[in-house]
Amino acid sequence: MAALLGIVAFFWPFVVAPGIFGSNYAPPLIFGVLLVLILCVVLSEIAEGGIDSKALAMLGVLSAVNAALRPLGAGTAGIETVFFVLVLAGRVFGPGFGFTLGCTSLFASALITGGVGPWMPYQMFGCAFVGMLAGLLPRATGRREVLLLAVYGSLSGYLFGFLLNLSFWPFSLDPNSSIAYLPGLPFTEQWHRYVAFDLATSLGWDTGRAATNFVCVLLAGPAVLTTFRRAARRARFRAPARFTAPQPVDRPGGHETMTAESGDGS
């Protein structure tokens, strides 16, 4: 439901015209609904056993780390340092965790840097999709996995910019411009206008973000993945019990007894 709300929040220009749903009221409403849905995501993960108290602690720590890393890049020339941790965490801890981490990281960093505004729910959704899709990537190991994540991190830099531009494109240009949003146009023509707008206004910026993600994942990926997976293993409260079939044990005098073993030491 949260992902569906994000898709609607970004792609509404291709469905309805501006003014039908006031732009001044949409971001606060979207933000409020988003917080409720994120809480539902966390509660559902807890109920299914995907997130326990230690995983919640990990979520808080990684959100704080991302909030601290974001000002280091500050978006200068597209250089943003918040995404590579999000990609690696989503890969290790799963799509639900990645989606939640994307939202909480941007929320925390916005409070720290004073970046609270109508753009914040869209930024939260953009990062949430980056973390969620990282958890849905196909399986790979070793160098292939790091290269896969580096390529995905690069593509996610373009994906984030592509989504964020959708949030203000309908309101940012003169309607007479050839790349402006015009209500009522066929989907294909509207789509061509938006692609041209995205390429003309943010391709260079998104390329800086994509290059940063690629380099950070490639260099720090192996160490960070190892650290996250070790933390994920240690976060398990209970070791799974494994029972073996009874085995005969020879005793002096020709008598045999049956024994059973369990993996939890009982």
Side-chain angles (χ1 to χ4, degrees):
M1 289 178 63
L4 178 62
L5 175 63
I7 293 173
V8 172
F10 282 120
F11 288 93
W12 68 264
F14 299 102
V15 182
V16 298
I20 295 178
F21 188 61
S23 61
N24 293 331
Y25 301 100
L29 180 60
I30 292 173
F31 179 67
V33 176
L34 174 61
L35 291 183
V36 173
L37 289 178
I38 290 302
L39 179 60
C40 292
V41 170
V42 173
L43 292 177
S44 66
E45 289 287 315
I46 293 174
E48 294 177 358
I51 291 182
D52 54 22
S53 61
K54 292 184 179 180
L56 283 175
M58 178 65 71
L59 178 66
V61 169
L62 293 181
S63 298
V65 168
N66 265 348
L69 285 176
R70 193 181 184 197
L72 298 180
T76 304
I79 298 174
E80 296 189 52
T81 52
V82 71
F83 289 94
F84 83 98
V85 173
L86 181 59
V87 170
L88 299 175
R91 173 66 172 182
V92 173
F93 298 105
F97 188 96
F99 188 95
T100 309
L101 178 62
C103 290
T104 55
S105 296
L106 263 291
F107 181 73
S109 66
L111 295 180
I112 292 175
T113 61
V116 178
W119 55 84
M120 188 172 69
Y122 299 103
Q123 291 179 337
M124 291 170 64
F125 268 127
C127 284
F129 281 121
V130 170
M132 181 183 71
L133 293 177
L136 298 174
L137 292 175
R139 292 185 178 183
T141 57
R143 294 182 178 178
R144 290 182 58 187
E145 181 183 33
V146 175
L147 182 59
L148 172 67
L149 294 175
V151 172
Y152 168 74
S154 180
L155 294 177
S156 69
Y158 291 105
L159 173 65
F160 182 80
F162 186 86
L163 292 176
L164 262 292
N165 286 340
L166 275 170
S167 65
F168 62 85
W169 170 56
F171 315 102
S172 60
L173 295 177
D174 183 352
N176 296 320
S177 172
S178 61
I179 59 176
Y181 172 74
L182 288 182
L185 288 181
F187 174 81
T188 53
E189 186 174 349
Q190 203 80 273
W191 181 259
H192 290 160
R193 281 173 171 259
Y194 178 69
V195 171
F197 169 82
D198 183 67
L199 295 177
T201 59
S202 65
L203 179 62
W205 195 275
D206 294 343
T207 299
R209 184 188 299 112
T212 303
N213 294 347
F214 184 86
V215 172
C216 288
V217 173
L218 204 62
L219 295 180
V224 176
L225 284 173
T226 301
T227 302
F228 283 172
R229 283 176 174 143
R230 183 183 299 116
R233 288 193 300 270
R234 292 182 177 180
R236 296 180 180 177
F237 280 114
R238 303 174 184 173
R242 297 185 302 273
F243 295 92
T244 59
Q247 299 293 330
V249 179
D250 292 332
R251 293 296 182 94
H255 297 287
E256 293 184 351
T257 59
M258 308 298 288
T259 63
E261 297 179 352
S262 65
D264 61 355
S266 60

